[in-house]
Amino acid sequence: MQWIIKYLTSSIGKKQIMGASGACLALFIFGHMVGNLQLINLDQSVAQAHYNAYTQLLTGMKPMIYFIELGLVALFIIHVGLAIKLKIENRKARGPEAYEVNARKGHKTFASFTMIWSGIFVLGFVIQHLMVLKFGVHYLYENEKGMIIRDMWLTTIDMFASPFWTVFYLISMFVIGMHLFHAISSAFQTMGVAHQKWTPIIDLAGVVYSVIVALGFAFEAAFSCYIANTDEVKKMREVARSEVYQQKLEVQKQQQMQEKESKKTSAVKLEDGFQYSYVMNKEGAR
């Protein structure tokens, strides 16, 4: 048990845990980027259906989705917390002046030198992202099966309709790409994978990955901004978020919930009836 505590409190242990948590988050980011490709369609009625189906699939995985979200939050807190802690410990160990000198020696890149600051920026971006999208305006949408679900397409497209938020998003993707670029190679080095043959390959893979992720998200944002401001999609958005239409969907949603509860109650009564019949038959057999 002592060796675990010693490892967790050691500098290398903290770095490795930070690297591992970062790797998990990097995989999630890639999956998130791929999922958002549902927005890329010139026919936005199709994009609306596909994107809402995708988000409904994720949010519908209850209670698993709650554990996934808690896991992501935990990973993020661990990653950010350890990064800040290591930064403070490095400053204390080296001293402010020594740190400034050493930080610029060797093969330090702009990405590595600004790692902590890009990380803080990413933290702010994630908070903004959650506030605007996950906890943002809750529109309703009727899918092809007639079920009323959340219209995440409308919430997302409405955000990107604003040039301000789109530009902020594009800048954020540049920062995230830069952060990922250094993080990947740094994580492998921390894990002990440092070799003349493999390090250049890992560095190249890090560049390719970070560019794909950053450009993927950036393209999705730029495309969404463009398409959201076309006349056709503007009309779609106006109709979709109109008070009359949303109230109509809210009524349908309440009816569907009542029907669901009614079916559940009927199923329970039916099950109770079978159990009662079984007990009575058993008693009669005696």
Side-chain angles (χ1 to χ4, degrees):
M1 189 66 182
Q2 284 186 335
W3 71 268
I4 296 177
I5 297 172
K6 189 176 180 180
Y7 170 75
L8 293 175
T9 54
S10 67
S11 178
I12 188 66
K14 292 171 190 172
K15 287 179 180 179
Q16 288 182 345
I17 293 170
M18 184 178 72
S21 61
C24 293
L25 290 170
L27 289 174
F28 166 75
I29 290 170
F30 183 79
H32 189 41
M33 185 270 292
V34 172
N36 282 0
L37 289 173
Q38 304 296 329
L39 292 167
I40 309 301
N41 196 313
L42 291 174
D43 186 347
Q44 281 295 288
S45 60
V46 174
Q48 184 180 24
H50 288 178
Y51 191 69
N52 285 334
Y54 159 67
T55 56
Q56 177 62 20
L57 176 66
L58 296 179
T59 56
M61 294 190 301
K62 296 175 182 177
M64 187 185 296
I65 188 64
Y66 299 129
F67 292 107
I68 294 172
E69 288 177 341
L70 285 173
L72 287 171
V73 170
L75 285 171
F76 202 82
I77 291 172
I78 290 169
H79 189 73
V80 174
L82 287 176
I84 294 172
K85 187 171 179 60
L86 286 166
K87 179 75 173 179
I88 293 171
E89 288 177 355
N90 284 339
R91 277 192 176 277
K92 286 181 178 178
R94 299 178 182 180
E97 293 181 5
Y99 182 83
E100 292 298 328
V101 173
N102 291 334
R104 290 174 173 80
K105 285 184 178 180
H107 299 286
K108 289 282 183 179
T109 62
F110 180 74
S112 62
F113 182 66
T114 58
M115 198 66 175
I116 187 68
W117 305 114
S118 62
I120 292 171
F121 181 90
V122 171
L123 174 61
F125 168 77
V126 169
I127 293 171
Q128 178 273 338
H129 195 65
L130 291 172
M131 293 300 294
V132 174
L133 296 178
K134 183 175 177 61
F135 303 110
V137 183
H138 199 110
Y139 295 111
L140 296 176
Y141 170 77
E142 183 176 8
N143 66 16
E144 58 185 10
K145 295 180 180 179
M147 298 301 296
I148 307 303
I149 60 176
R150 185 178 181 186
D151 195 347
M152 276 302 300
W153 170 86
L154 183 56
T155 303
T156 305
I157 287 294
D158 270 358
M159 181 188 75
F160 286 126
S162 164
F164 171 81
W165 284 121
T166 301
V167 170
F168 172 73
Y169 198 89
L170 293 175
I171 293 171
S172 300
M173 291 309 104
F174 171 76
V175 175
I176 288 174
M178 188 172 63
H179 190 85
L180 287 171
F181 160 66
H182 176 70
I184 292 171
S185 60
S186 178
F188 275 99
Q189 287 179 17
T190 304
M191 294 297 178
V193 184
H195 190 273
Q196 288 183 343
K197 181 180 179 181
W198 295 110
T199 298
I201 297 174
I202 292 169
D203 289 344
L204 178 61
V207 171
V208 172
Y209 173 82
S210 57
V211 168
I212 289 174
V213 169
L215 287 182
F217 276 119
F219 176 71
E220 290 162 356
F223 176 85
S224 297
C225 181
Y226 159 74
I227 205 76
N229 288 290
T230 59
D231 292 338
E232 182 182 352
V233 177
K234 278 182 180 179
K235 290 178 182 177
M236 274 184 67
R237 288 163 50 213
E238 286 175 9
V239 172
R241 64 168 176 261
S242 67
E243 189 175 345
V244 174
Y245 182 68
Q246 287 296 313
Q247 285 178 349
K248 174 190 170 185
L249 293 181
E250 182 62 39
V251 171
Q252 287 181 238
K253 181 182 177 181
Q254 294 301 323
Q255 290 174 345
Q256 289 177 1
M257 290 175 66
Q258 288 173 3
E259 289 175 6
K260 188 176 180 181
E261 285 298 318
S262 178
K263 288 179 181 178
K264 191 184 293 184
T265 303
S266 298
V268 170
K269 287 181 178 179
L270 187 62
E271 185 179 350
D272 290 343
F274 278 128
Q275 289 178 350
Y276 177 76
S277 177
Y278 172 76
V279 171
M280 292 302 292
N281 288 335
K282 196 172 182 181
E283 290 292 330
R286 289 179 182 177

